[in-house]
Amino acid sequence: MGSRALILGGGGPVGIAWEVGLAAGLEERGVHIADAARIVGTSAGSFVGAALASGRPAEALVRAQMEQAERDKAATKTSSSERRAPPDLGPLMRLMASRPAEGTPPTAWLIEVGQFALNARTITEDQFLASFGSITKTGESWPKGFACTAVDAVDGSFHVWEATSGVELGRAIASSCSVPGIYPPIAIGGRRYIDGGMRSGTNFDLGKGYDRVLAIAVVSNMAREMQLARVEAEVAGLRETGARVELILPDANCREAFGNNLMDARRRGDVALAGVVQGREEAARINAFWS
């Protein structure tokens, strides 16, 4: 077995803000989760994981979230509130309601989701790639030990992108974050790929083979019991492989900051700060496990 793995789940812009805040709060107390030998991200976790694996200080990532929140506020004053409203997740949520409650979803369901994504009207791939900033620039090297997840929009197959995959880092991250119906499927090697969270919002099973796994899941107040059941089942399955696992979930204050839509980027500032506070509070528990 290897040493330590960090697995970061998905959760939209809100999830990104919480995860970087959490990492920053832990860092303040001397817990450096980016020291993991393996960092695997799904959707929001792919962006955060790549940034941490690249050596970017979590505090700087929080500062970027706060600066973007200020720019959002300024933009709201000069544009209609409707333009700044979060995306409508209704159509995707109705499709997600047909997902089996337990286990990995069947290929047929993933194909259905992929078709929905391919048919949706969204921004262009170039616009989506640009929205990630410098981390997705063409040619940026893969961070050591980093991997992220995606699903083939046509055949429903699951893919784990890493340095040996021969995929541009930017496209790999964008594919992992391509929420069906909201963002465009991303072209890679003549195929098109969507959010790895369609297979699992966390994909904790990718921690198999490591002695210690820090599992981070963006579980909100929406359908909370169902989310928790899936997360706990994945953690249990990972422990059955012999791994020691610690799980971090958003606390009550963070869930309140999340609101009802994880795609609501307007909340990123408050969420990041709430994440920092939780990270400080979690530090003693995680340090005993991680050190």
Side-chain angles (χ1 to χ4, degrees), residues 92-111:
L92 177 60
M93 290 300 98
R94 287 190 286 275
L95 188 55
M96 293 293 287
S98 65
R99 184 190 191 279
E102 299 180 359
T104 302
T107 300
W109 184 83
L110 291 171
I111 291 173

Side-chain angles (χ1 to χ4, degrees), residues 162-264:
E162 53 193 321
T164 58
S165 300
V167 177
E168 291 177 2
L169 177 63
R171 286 191 172 273
I173 294 171
S175 71
S176 189
C177 293
S178 177
V179 179
I182 306 299
Y183 300 124
I186 300 299
I188 297 175
R191 309 288 295 183
R192 307 217 24 222
Y193 295 88
I194 59 173
D195 196 323
M198 296 302 101
R199 186 247 193 186
S200 163
T202 48
N203 291 303
F204 286 156
D205 58 313
L206 297 180
K208 182 180 179 180
Y210 289 84
D211 295 309
R212 287 172 288 169
V213 180
L214 180 58
I216 298 179
V218 185
V219 175
S220 67
N221 287 322
M222 301 297 290
R224 180 169 171 76
E225 290 186 5
M226 182 173 65
Q227 292 184 73
L228 283 174
R230 287 176 177 164
V231 166
E232 290 168 355
E234 287 193 21
V235 169
L238 188 52
R239 285 176 174 150
E240 288 175 1
T241 70
R244 293 171 54 204
V245 185
E246 283 292 337
L247 174 66
I248 301 182
L249 301 169
D251 62 19
N253 288 333
C254 290
R255 296 198 308 273
E256 182 177 357
F258 286 3
N260 295 325
N261 188 337
L262 294 178
M263 300 301 295
D264 191 351

Side-chain angles (χ1 to χ4, degrees), residues 42-67:
T42 289
S43 200
S46 71
F47 178 85
V48 177
L52 293 175
S54 297
R56 303 186 184 196
E59 183 276 332
L61 298 175
V62 169
R63 187 167 62 250
Q65 291 290 312
M66 301 305 297
E67 291 170 353

Side-chain angles (χ1 to χ4, degrees), residues 70-89:
E70 289 303 313
R71 288 193 290 271
D72 290 345
K73 289 179 182 178
T76 300
K77 293 178 182 178
T78 59
S79 62
S80 70
S81 59
E82 291 183 359
R83 288 180 61 191
R84 309 301 301 178
D88 178 15
L89 289 174

